Amino acid sequence: MPEDFSSSRTPSWFVRPAARSWTCAPAPADARDFHASLPGHTPTPLAELPSLAAELGVGRVFVKDESSRLGLPAFKALGASWAVRRVLDGRTADGPGAAAPVTLVTATDGNHGRAVARMSRLFGQRAHVFVGHGVHPEAVAAIEDEGAEVTRVPGPYDEAVRRAAEAAAAPDAVLVQDTAWPGYERIPAWIVEGYATLCSEIDDRLALARAGAPGLVAVPVGVGSLAQAVVTHYRSRGDGRAPALLAVEPENAAGLAASLAAGRPVTVATGGTTMAGLNCGTVSHLAWPVLRDGLDAAVTVTDAESARAAADLASLGVSSGPCGAASLAGVRAALTGAGADGRRAALGLGPASVLVLLSTEGPAANPHTTSRATLSSRDDRS
């Protein structure tokens, strides 16, 4: 008998069945060809885990393992590389002298800053990364090892973002931040486009596995940029096979769930969580309308549930950190325990359904667990 992972805890749950009828324009297809051209790039694994399918009472379960993407321990390199390429292409198109070296500036909690630093070095540019006081020394050292200039800010993340934006006002600098705010949208949109490569790889691997279209895709959510890419991919297909899309957040930082329940963007106070990359109180304003209309459901999970999911994935050969394992924890919260039958029905799942879980990082991708009170949409989270 499979082990019982159901909990007496009632998860925060939001569902909108009409989401599967919503459609949108597809993301540009150029990013995937670009990623394929990068040195050392290979698609990340899509691991099939039959024991999870048995536990969850579905046909097949696949986990997208992003623990090593372009030599980095998280999916962030997809967005950073595409945005940097677009920035540099735009400068070349501006005329003579515009292609001179540029400093790519960002603020980060670790993964995004390291990705921008790596891509700056790859393309022969400089990087300047601002980090707030909560960033773990190991994450700072990893950014410095990429050759970036690092400025430690004696304040919270939002102060690091403000300082980065000021530094990027110099004529030889460009801000490459991975979430949007009013007046700063073009580059964050390119970063979201870059994440679409991950979804296309899933399509290819499912086809090779003769699995058909997924019935459900689960994605961890911080500010929602990755979820925006996932919703865009699956809601733009127009092939009548739209899966249910499930967002997963820490129960101490459920800004998206609160916004969906309110029908408008709201900011929530966040508490401490080991899911540091998801510890966000405000949804990116670019992501919000897409998530509002295209997500089927949102669920919250605890640190203990995420830790257990990470340990279980490790025992099955998938290296996952607390943020990446949130997908499995969220699916367990949705499909087991009290009220599970109703939640399954709302998601349109049956015993033959195919589930895809996005594991967005390896266990060492974000080693810090600093808590934050309230976060703005200027955050470098999933």
Side-chain angles (χ1 to χ4, degrees):
M1 292 288 292
E3 187 173 352
D4 182 9
F5 287 97
S6 61
S7 169
S8 59
R9 182 185 72 91
T10 301
S12 172
W13 173 255
F14 174 89
V15 64
R16 182 177 176 270
R20 262 159 282 175
S21 64
W22 182 76
T23 59
C24 62
D30 311 33
R32 189 176 186 189
D33 289 340
F34 161 73
H35 288 136
S37 73
L38 292 174
H41 177 266
T42 57
T44 55
L46 186 69
E48 182 169 9
L49 303 179
S51 63
L52 290 185
E55 172 200 326
L56 297 168
V58 296
R60 302 175 78 173
V61 172
F62 295 85
V63 176
K64 183 63 167 167
D65 180 358
E66 290 291 312
S67 60
S68 180
R69 172 67 78 168
L70 285 165
L72 298 176
F75 73 100
K76 292 286 187 177
L78 290 173
S81 61
W82 179 238
V84 168
R85 181 70 270 163
R86 292 295 304 268
V87 166
L88 297 179
D89 286 348
R91 289 176 63 84
T92 302
D94 286 341
V102 65
T103 299
L104 301 168
V105 184
T106 195
T108 189
D109 239 358
N111 295 331
H112 172 69
R114 187 177 176 189
V116 170
R118 171 73 62 87
M119 296 306 151
S120 299
R121 179 160 59 88
L122 178 65
F123 296 125
Q125 309 299 317
R126 300 179 296 269
H128 188 178
V129 180
F130 288 75
V131 297
H133 65 72
V135 177
H136 195 282
E138 292 179 18
V140 175
I143 296 169
E144 290 175 327
D145 287 346
E146 300 291 348
E149 176 185 356
V150 173
T151 296
R152 294 168 176 82
V153 176
Y157 180 82
D158 285 349
E159 177 64 14
V161 171
R162 186 185 68 79
R163 292 278 302 277
E166 289 176 351
D172 63 342
V174 177
L175 184 67
V176 184
Q177 202 62 52
D178 62 346
T179 120
W181 56 87
Y184 181 72
E185 298 174 335
R186 183 177 62 170
I187 290 174
W190 288 339
I191 290 173
V192 172
E193 289 177 7
Y195 295 156
T197 292
L198 183 155
C199 300
S200 297
E201 292 176 0
I202 291 172
D203 291 344
D204 290 349
R205 297 289 177 167
L206 289 179
L208 287 173
R210 300 183 182 274
L216 178 136
V217 178
V219 55
V221 170
V223 297
S225 296
L226 176 60
Q228 178 186 352
V230 170
V231 172
T232 299
H233 179 79
Y234 287 105
R235 297 296 182 242
S236 63
R237 294 160 65 108
D239 58 6
R241 300 181 298 163
L245 302 177
L246 174 68
V248 184
E249 294 178 288
E251 67 172 6
N252 290 340
L256 174 62
S259 298
L260 291 171
R264 58 182 175 81
V266 298
T267 294
V268 301
T270 62
T273 174
T274 56
M275 291 171 276
L278 308 181
N279 192 11
C280 307
T282 305
V283 180
S284 168
H285 92 113
L286 267 186
W288 164 246
V290 177
L291 304 186
R292 176 197 62 204
D293 295 338
L295 279 173
D296 291 81
V299 68
T300 61
V301 297
T302 67
D303 284 356
E305 289 166 342
S306 174
R308 185 175 61 196
D312 293 340
L313 288 172
S315 71
L316 296 171
V318 176
S319 180
S320 184
C323 297
S327 293
L328 173 56
V331 168
R332 283 173 167 167
L335 303 188
T336 65
D341 288 345
R343 293 191 291 270
R344 285 175 181 267
L347 294 170
L349 300 179
S353 295
V354 174
L355 275 56
V356 174
L357 317 181
L358 304 190
S359 179
T360 52
E361 63 169 30
N366 217 339
H368 57 293
T369 58
T370 303
S371 63
R372 299 177 185 273
T374 302
L375 298 175
S376 78
S377 63
R378 304 179 186 186
D379 200 292
D380 76 333
R381 315 300 179 84
S382 301

